[in-house]
Amino acid sequence: MIVVEELTKAFGGIVALHGISIEVQKGKITGLIGPNGAGKTTLFNVIAGMFAPDSGAVFFDGVDVTGMAPHVLFHRGLLRTFQIAREFPSLTVRENLMVVPPGQTGESLIGAWFRRGEISRNENAMFERAEEVMDFLTIGHLAEEKAGNLSGGQKKLLELGRTMMADAKVVLLDEVGAGVNPTLLNALADAIARLNTERGYTFCMIEHNFSLISRLCDPVIVMADGKFLAEGTADEIRRDERVIEAYLGSGHTETPDAERA
């Protein structure tokens, strides 16, 4: 679904990506790990259109989308979440979901003036769809809660729900487990796994919790110093000497503990 070819991105004199090439296969949950400063989030930002690369190309679903704006990629089905959730804090959970789908009749001035019946039908359909999403994620009890009042884990579930409202083809998850308590982390992991197996979602996720990576991801891609370092199953990556050295330096024989990677 995503092919990255020889991407390079620099900020002033600092080169964040050094000609990196990776692929995200359709129907997979691909993990993206690496030490701090490896370039993982910069890679996500270039893929998602937030930054234009200095060189190289990004292909999405067979189409060259290099440098396309995030809203254009959104309409094509490429979405991303953020390490710090970006909800509409003054809207309820249900309202946060209902505003996501594009092309709603009420968004146009003519529609708002002359198509009131169509707007009503559209809103009813969005209401029912939001209910389905909340049921899937088991957050229906939060439907009328202001999103700004949610816990960090609940906000991550809401972000996942917003991708469901948009019928995403590929979702880029940026540290979905950051700051989430173990109970909600299990709920998040279950939701991601179900979206993958039951609805065919393709995910690529940056994550520092290697237990979560091991549970969900195959393959796992490792970056270091803005470059591709290794790819394999979680067990293969855990034993890879190049990965061990990238995290801990030479002279060590074990990877970081299971919670950090």
Side-chain angles (χ1 to χ4, degrees), residues 16-197:
L17 299 176
H18 294 262
I20 188 168
S21 299
I22 67 167
E23 294 186 5
V24 175
Q25 299 293 333
K26 183 177 181 178
K28 296 280 190 176
I29 305 178
T30 299
L32 184 62
I33 69 172
N36 290 333
K40 304 181 298 294
T41 296
T42 299
L43 178 60
F44 263 25
N45 285 335
V46 172
I47 293 172
M50 299 184 71
F51 300 148
D54 298 326
S55 63
V58 178
F59 295 88
F60 173 55
D61 205 12
V63 177
D64 188 344
V65 297
T66 311
M68 284 189 182
H71 70 275
V72 176
L73 294 171
F74 169 85
H75 286 283
R76 289 176 174 267
L78 175 60
L79 284 69
R80 70 160 297 178
T81 67
F82 295 86
Q83 182 178 352
I84 300 175
R86 299 187 178 186
E87 75 286 351
F88 296 108
S90 63
L91 300 183
T92 67
V93 167
R94 180 185 285 112
E95 289 167 343
N96 265 269
L97 296 172
M98 290 178 65
V99 300
V100 172
Q104 298 187 50
T105 306
E107 294 177 353
S108 72
L109 186 59
I110 292 177
W113 281 354
F114 302 114
R115 299 176 181 172
R116 301 302 295 272
E118 187 176 337
I119 289 174
S120 180
R121 291 190 295 272
N122 186 238
E123 288 183 348
N124 288 337
M126 292 303 102
F127 184 95
E128 292 178 3
R129 189 168 175 181
E131 289 290 308
E132 178 192 355
V133 168
M134 289 187 292
D135 287 344
F136 184 93
L137 298 175
T138 65
I139 56 173
H141 61 292
L142 300 171
E144 300 303 326
E145 185 66 62
K146 299 290 186 184
N149 296 334
L150 301 180
S151 70
Q154 290 168 338
K155 289 180 180 181
K156 294 293 180 70
L157 281 168
L158 176 57
E159 279 211 325
L160 199 58
R162 289 163 68 180
T163 70
M164 294 174 65
M165 294 293 293
D167 286 331
K169 293 180 180 178
V170 176
V171 181
L172 307 178
L173 299 172
D174 194 348
E175 295 200 36
V176 68
V180 179
N181 70 55
T183 299
L184 280 176
L185 187 59
N186 282 331
L188 270 168
D190 288 344
I192 292 167
R194 288 182 61 202
L195 284 171
N196 175 250
T197 57

Side-chain angles (χ1 to χ4, degrees), residues 161-258:
R162 289 163 68 180
T163 70
M164 294 174 65
M165 294 293 293
D167 286 331
K169 293 180 180 178
V170 176
V171 181
L172 307 178
L173 299 172
D174 194 348
E175 295 200 36
V176 68
V180 179
N181 70 55
T183 299
L184 280 176
L185 187 59
N186 282 331
L188 270 168
D190 288 344
I192 292 167
R194 288 182 61 202
L195 284 171
N196 175 250
T197 57
E198 297 176 15
R199 305 199 178 190
Y201 276 47
T202 299
F203 291 99
C204 183
M205 57 187 293
I206 296 172
E207 185 52 58
H208 284 291
N209 185 324
F210 200 77
S211 294
L212 186 61
I213 287 286
S214 298
R215 174 178 174 181
L216 293 175
C217 299
D218 184 15
V220 179
I221 296 171
V222 186
M223 292 179 62
D225 298 321
K227 302 174 184 178
F228 171 90
L229 181 64
E231 179 174 347
T233 66
D235 286 340
E236 290 169 344
I237 292 302
R238 192 193 304 272
R239 297 191 300 267
D240 193 306
E241 292 183 1
R242 296 168 299 171
V243 177
I244 296 169
E245 183 171 352
Y247 275 103
L248 299 177
S250 59
H252 293 268
T253 59
E254 296 182 357
T255 52
D257 66 55

